[in-house]
Amino acid sequence: MRIFDPHIHMTSRTTDDYEAMHAAGVRAVVEPAFWLGQPRTSPESFYDYFDALLGWEPYRAAQFGIQHYCTIALNPKEANDPRCTPVLDELDRYLAKDRVVAVGEIGYDSMTPEEDEALARQLQLAVEHGLPALVHTPHRDKTAGTRRTLDVVRESGIAPELVVLDHLNELTVGMVLDSGCWAGFSVYPKTKMSEDRMIEILKEFGTARVLVNSAADWGRSDPLKTRRTADAMLAAGFDDDRVDTVMWRNPVAFYGQSGRLELDPCPDEPGRDEDATFQGNSIRRGGA
Amino acid sequence: MSVADPFPPTPAVPHTALRAALDTAARVWLDEAAATITAEPAAIRRLFPAARRRCGRARLTEHWTVDEAARAVLLTALPRTGPALADEVTLLHRHGDPAEQRAVLRTLPLLDLGELALPVVRDALRGNDTTLIEAALGPYATAHLPDAEYRQAVLKCVFYEIPLDRVHGVHTRADRELARMLAAFAQERIAAGRDVPQDIRPVVRAFPDVISEAPAAVEKQLKSDLKEQI
């Protein structure tokens, strides 16, 4: 089984996680730029973080046979802090990078005017750079927030098939799929979405334009939730082809719209990233 | 210095091989990008990141990949010298992804920078990405990096299992102090029951007094395969 986790925060995870993910079938991930638990107070912290998403993290992932891409944005929560908003002026530089396959995570946290401004401006950047957009939906007042997000997406003029709204649930999935956008689901141990609920949604709405992710980060979360959901799909009677649609072909189709997703079909050996090899020799960080 | 060999030659941009490797669209893009940069130097900030997508990333020669050579074409098109050139190169490195940074590092010896790009080399050597460390230790570092930093860089390569035959100028720059550091490293490895990398042996052996001063176990280890080879 091959798995593409379209939303996971690997900077918060260990090498044990990378090993377990590879063993479970994960061969590619997208890591969206987001908040870090501890609020940042200056733009420079963001630039170091973006550099890590483009540098150290793909390097680490390649050593475990996992291809790592990222999305770049000023997240909604920190868009409210005037000390952080100068980041918006520097995003062009980062959105030009090869491994950036979308603008994100953008969207609403508390639905403030500052968040309105950051969301609209960053949807515009997605249009200018020809990139998809990964849009987070708020945890509080989710249904109203999702409705408002869809309004802003429509007003921006971005093609709906270039947009995924993430962290959806039973109450928000219908309006998102009706809009032509993609529907993202974060399967969590306790909150957001569970494997069983995900199966019911897939039965009702089908597998088209659906992305399933673990959204694993520094909180209570599980980087193997993609595999556990795939296993639950098989147990519920979905065939291998439909599991592959959800777990691989859909994320490839969505992020592939960036024109920057250059995936090895399915590397089996760790360290096969072309960047990490020279004349066939794998280069690793030594254990000294 | 113990070895009289001159520094290995600086690899020039392989224009012929590069043109042969590019398809027509990529060739046109690269020519236009270089012309744009000559006319409007700040354009390199948006063209440099796009070069790998436009031109490809396959290996071209032992020194260059296609994207690195294409980016070298863009860097050498900059109508800048001295501090103004160093400022632009430093910014491209500071804001570059690893592939862009490797291209900057590999092109340094082709740019008239004197010692102004040493901060860029030091930045790469401070990190943990072995592809960047290796790219940083090219002809520019051989020519400009101070002795103490060069020795630390070579030792870091040994720790990170970067084969020393990929480190430019190592036998030319090797001195008695580097040999002593490598012999001490071998001693640590022997004490820990771990392997001693083969490729440090020729460097240490060039300084027989370092070997003769080392503990017997180290001396034996560092000389062992010498006998086998002879």
Side-chain angles (χ1 to χ4, degrees):
Chain A
M1 183 185 298
R2 55 180 184 170
I3 295 171
F4 185 134
D5 193 333
H7 182 154
I8 184 166
H9 300 283
M10 291 309 300
T11 47
S12 305
R13 312 300 307 192
T14 64
T15 52
D16 283 358
D17 287 335
Y18 270 124
E19 274 180 348
M21 287 162 65
H22 188 272
V26 178
R27 295 292 181 272
V29 297
V30 167
E31 174 155 10
F34 211 47
W35 54 63
L36 292 177
Q38 177 69 36
R40 284 169 283 215
T41 59
S42 81
E44 304 302 324
S45 304
F46 282 86
Y47 307 146
D48 288 339
Y49 173 64
F50 295 159
D51 288 339
L53 295 185
L54 288 160
W56 184 236
E57 208 52 45
Y59 181 80
R60 230 162 61 96
Q63 292 177 30
F64 297 91
I66 294 178
Q67 303 166 82
H68 181 288
Y69 291 83
C70 71
T71 77
I72 293 285
L74 174 63
N75 64 75
K77 191 182 296 209
E78 289 172 310
N80 290 303
D81 187 335
R83 293 173 298 182
C84 299
T85 48
V87 169
L88 290 168
D89 299 324
E90 289 294 327
L91 288 177
D92 273 320
R93 203 185 260 279
Y94 286 96
L95 296 177
K97 305 299 182 194
D98 285 337
R99 285 187 173 273
V100 176
V101 292
V103 175
E105 296 180 53
I106 52 178
Y108 286 119
D109 177 51
S110 302
M111 291 188 269
T112 63
E114 289 79 7
E115 293 172 24
D116 276 327
E117 159 73 16
L119 173 56
R121 194 165 155 194
Q122 293 185 98
L123 283 170
Q124 218 46 56
L125 285 174
V127 172
E128 288 165 18
H129 286 266
L131 288 171
L134 169 58
V135 186
H136 160 102
T137 56
H139 304 306
R140 303 175 300 276
D141 203 7
K142 186 179 285 286
T143 303
T146 303
R147 199 172 293 122
R148 182 160 156 187
T149 303
L150 286 172
D151 288 341
V152 177
V153 167
R154 259 189 296 274
E155 286 164 19
S156 77
I158 192 171
E161 64 267 24
L162 281 169
V163 178
V164 58
L165 268 65
D166 212 343
H167 317 313
L168 300 183
N169 60 23
E170 292 82 355
L171 301 182
T172 54
V173 52
M175 66 173 114
V176 170
L177 285 173
D178 286 347
S179 75
C181 294
W182 290 65
F185 298 89
S186 301
V187 182
Y188 256 40
K190 289 192 187 304
T191 58
K192 292 191 173 83
M193 178 55 56
S194 69
E195 294 94 312
D196 292 349
R197 291 164 56 204
M198 191 67 235
I199 297 305
E200 293 309 311
I201 287 172
L202 286 166
K203 282 181 185 166
E204 184 174 348
F205 292 92
T207 55
R209 280 187 287 122
V210 168
L211 301 180
V212 173
N213 61 70
S214 74
D217 57 11
W218 30 258
R220 180 172 285 184
S221 51
D222 177 357
L224 303 184
K225 280 296 186 190
T226 45
R227 175 58 192 257
R228 297 192 208 290
T229 304
D231 289 342
M233 284 180 74
L234 291 170
F238 289 89
D239 63 17
D240 288 342
D241 190 64
R242 299 193 81 198
V243 172
D244 191 63
T245 296
V246 172
M247 293 296 159
W248 186 266
R249 298 205 294 267
N250 278 357
V252 169
F254 179 72
Y255 289 116
Q257 297 178 98
S258 67
R260 302 185 195 170
L261 202 62
E262 290 188 20
L263 290 172
D264 289 338
C266 198
D268 283 325
E269 296 298 318
R272 282 186 51 190
D273 186 295
E274 178 250 355
D275 291 346
T277 59
F278 178 79
Q279 296 181 345
N281 294 319
S282 176
I283 306 169
R284 306 280 175 75
R285 198 186 109 164
Chain B
M1 289 182 186
S2 67
V3 183
D5 294 340
F7 291 145
T10 298
V13 181
H15 286 285
T16 310
L18 178 60
R19 295 196 76 77
L22 298 179
D23 63 26
T24 308
R27 248 190 327 263
V28 169
W29 183 86
L30 187 60
D31 287 345
E32 287 180 359
T36 304
I37 288 164
T38 302
E40 181 208 336
I44 197 169
R45 294 170 199 177
R46 64 181 166 81
L47 294 169
F48 197 71
R52 199 169 194 243
R53 297 195 284 281
R54 297 289 192 158
C55 298
R57 57 179 185 169
R59 178 147 293 283
L60 191 62
T61 69
E62 196 176 343
H63 186 80
W64 301 99
T65 58
V66 168
D67 54 305
E68 289 163 2
R71 282 171 169 155
V73 168
L74 302 184
L75 284 170
T76 52
L78 274 172
R80 293 271 184 271
T81 55
L85 178 60
D87 286 350
E88 193 63 51
V89 168
T90 302
L91 268 181
L92 287 171
H93 183 267
R94 163 64 188 89
H95 294 287
D97 65 24
E100 292 174 77
Q101 292 181 333
R102 284 193 295 272
V104 168
L105 292 164
R106 292 203 191 283
T107 310
L108 289 181
L110 305 181
L111 301 171
D112 182 20
L113 289 165
E115 302 207 330
L116 294 171
L118 274 175
V120 170
V121 172
R122 288 177 178 134
D123 202 43
L125 291 176
R126 254 194 309 275
N128 295 310
D129 182 333
T130 56
T131 68
L132 294 174
I133 294 170
E134 189 186 324
L137 288 175
Y140 183 86
T142 307
H144 296 287
L145 206 59
D147 288 341
E149 292 174 62
Y150 191 86
R151 289 184 206 116
Q152 283 290 338
V154 172
L155 199 56
K156 188 163 182 172
C157 288
V158 175
F159 269 74
Y160 281 21
E161 297 169 8
I162 300 172
L164 292 186
D165 62 8
R166 292 190 211 159
V167 177
H168 184 271
V170 67
H171 294 289
T172 316
R173 289 280 317 250
D175 57 10
R176 190 182 186 284
E177 178 63 4
L178 177 61
R180 183 200 64 74
M181 291 162 78
L182 292 172
F185 167 79
Q187 188 179 359
E188 272 188 60
R189 281 288 172 97
I190 291 165
R194 300 174 64 186
D195 289 341
V196 177
Q198 294 282 341
D199 56 356
I200 72 168
R201 295 171 193 206
V203 183
V204 184
R205 281 178 195 147
F207 299 88
D209 61 318
V210 170
I211 294 195
S212 61
E213 283 174 19
V218 177
E219 183 178 0
K220 187 180 167 201
Q221 174 74 239
L222 290 172
K223 281 182 172 171
S224 58
D225 66 331
L226 185 63
K227 287 174 196 149
E228 289 158 22
Q229 281 174 10
I230 295 169

